[in-house]
Amino acid sequence: MPLADDIEEFRRNVAKAIEELEEVRSVSDKLTACAVDEIHRHLTQLQDLCEQASIEIKRATEQLIEINTKWGSESLKSYLGQQNKRDIIEKRDSNLITSAMAESLKGGSGLTDVFQDLAEYRQQLGLPIAGSEDDRSTVAKLEIGDRGFFGINSSSNPNPRPITLRVNPISRSHAEADALQQAFDAGVRGGRARLVVDRDLCRACGQNGGVKGMARQLDLEELEVISPSGREVIQLK
């Protein structure tokens, strides 16, 4: 893997950790103003969020160690020399999608427009470009039939909605839950759907089954998940 790809992967890991810590701050701000009977729920959520943040920080740390090991001074000099000889210049279109998304679209069809939808939605909300240095948000779009539902993580959402779907405390505050909840509230049930997210799914939403569990509650048969790192089809029936 080229140095640029290693660095980009490290940045994604750091962004995930920051996202979790932003959720920690958001929930912790509620402690001083919440009712006594709500404190336990918030503390439990904070514990889960801190554990997930620790996982993401550890992952970023391991990635950094790997980069330092792989790209020591001699390797780095050799790499930079090759880059200068080849005169490689990477150009990013800040109005469209990040380079990571572009990689995931190679050989794809019709997906560029979907990521463009997310970019335009970000622009409407005044959010930074996905994957940029200042980006702390996640935007998702759920497509079912001819309907589309945009979701955003709760700490960046100007109008956060109650999440009544059964899901873990971490996923509850994420963009995927916001989009799926809107579809659920609209009475959409069954069929096949596509979920596009401009950040890779966290462990709670992906590996631990948060998104899959919410999709089941919409009685979906199949859910295609598209993120910067690629796509996955979740069979539900």
Side-chain angles (χ1 to χ4, degrees):
M1 180 182 293
L3 175 59
D5 291 344
D6 283 338
I7 293 175
E8 187 62 32
E9 183 177 350
F10 170 70
R11 292 182 67 251
R12 287 199 298 267
N13 289 334
V14 170
K16 291 179 183 178
I18 292 174
E19 180 181 1
E20 298 300 338
L21 290 173
E22 287 287 349
E23 296 294 347
V24 169
R25 183 177 65 176
S26 177
V27 175
S28 64
D29 288 344
K30 300 176 183 178
L31 289 175
T32 57
C34 69
V36 175
D37 58 353
E38 294 181 336
I39 291 179
H40 176 70
R41 178 171 62 84
H42 288 318
L43 290 176
T44 300
Q45 185 178 6
L46 280 170
Q47 181 177 341
D48 291 338
L49 287 169
C50 286
E51 289 177 355
Q52 184 64 32
S54 297
I55 292 172
E56 300 299 348
I57 290 173
K58 181 180 179 182
R59 186 176 297 166
T61 302
E62 291 174 348
Q63 177 68 12
L64 182 58
I65 293 173
E66 182 179 340
I67 291 174
N68 283 332
T69 302
K70 181 178 178 180
W71 299 102
S73 58
E74 293 304 318
S75 297
L76 188 57
K77 288 178 182 178
S78 174
Y79 175 82
L80 292 175
Q82 293 175 9
Q83 291 292 86
N84 290 333
K85 289 179 181 179
R86 296 175 184 174
D87 194 26
I88 298 176
I89 300 175
E90 181 180 357
K91 295 181 180 180
R92 297 183 180 181
D93 188 345
S94 61
N95 295 320
L96 295 177
I97 57 179
T98 64
S99 59
M101 289 179 181
E103 286 297 318
S104 73
L105 294 178
K106 286 182 178 179
S109 174
L111 299 185
T112 305
D113 291 339
V114 176
F115 280 120
Q116 176 65 18
D117 287 346
L118 298 186
E120 291 176 355
Y121 188 70
R122 277 178 170 270
Q123 189 174 25
Q124 292 174 17
L125 296 178
L127 298 175
I129 298 167
S132 65
E133 185 176 354
D134 297 328
D135 181 30
R136 301 291 182 270
S137 305
T138 304
V139 174
K141 183 180 182 182
L142 180 69
E143 295 182 338
I144 304 180
D146 59 352
R147 305 188 66 175
F149 302 90
F150 284 98
I152 183 172
N153 59 302
S154 61
S155 61
S156 302
N157 196 334
N159 299 298
R161 60 183 47 77
I163 303 299
T164 61
L165 292 170
R166 298 184 303 277
V167 68
N168 66 76
I170 296 175
S171 298
R172 184 180 300 277
S173 61
H174 289 184
E176 299 90 333
D178 186 31
L180 286 159
Q181 182 68 53
Q182 292 177 59
F184 184 85
D185 292 345
V188 177
R189 300 291 186 276
R192 292 177 171 81
R194 180 168 68 176
L195 179 66
V196 184
V197 190
D198 61 12
R199 189 187 298 276
D200 289 343
L201 270 61
C202 70
R203 183 183 297 269
C205 288
Q207 182 175 328
N208 293 348
V211 166
K212 183 176 182 179
M214 289 186 286
R216 287 189 184 279
Q217 294 171 63
L218 270 68
D219 199 30
L220 296 179
E221 299 174 10
E222 179 182 289
L223 177 65
E224 180 186 15
V225 180
I226 301 172
S227 67
S229 62
R231 42 177 124 193
E232 175 188 3
V233 176
I234 301 176
Q235 298 292 342
L236 300 165
K237 292 186 178 181

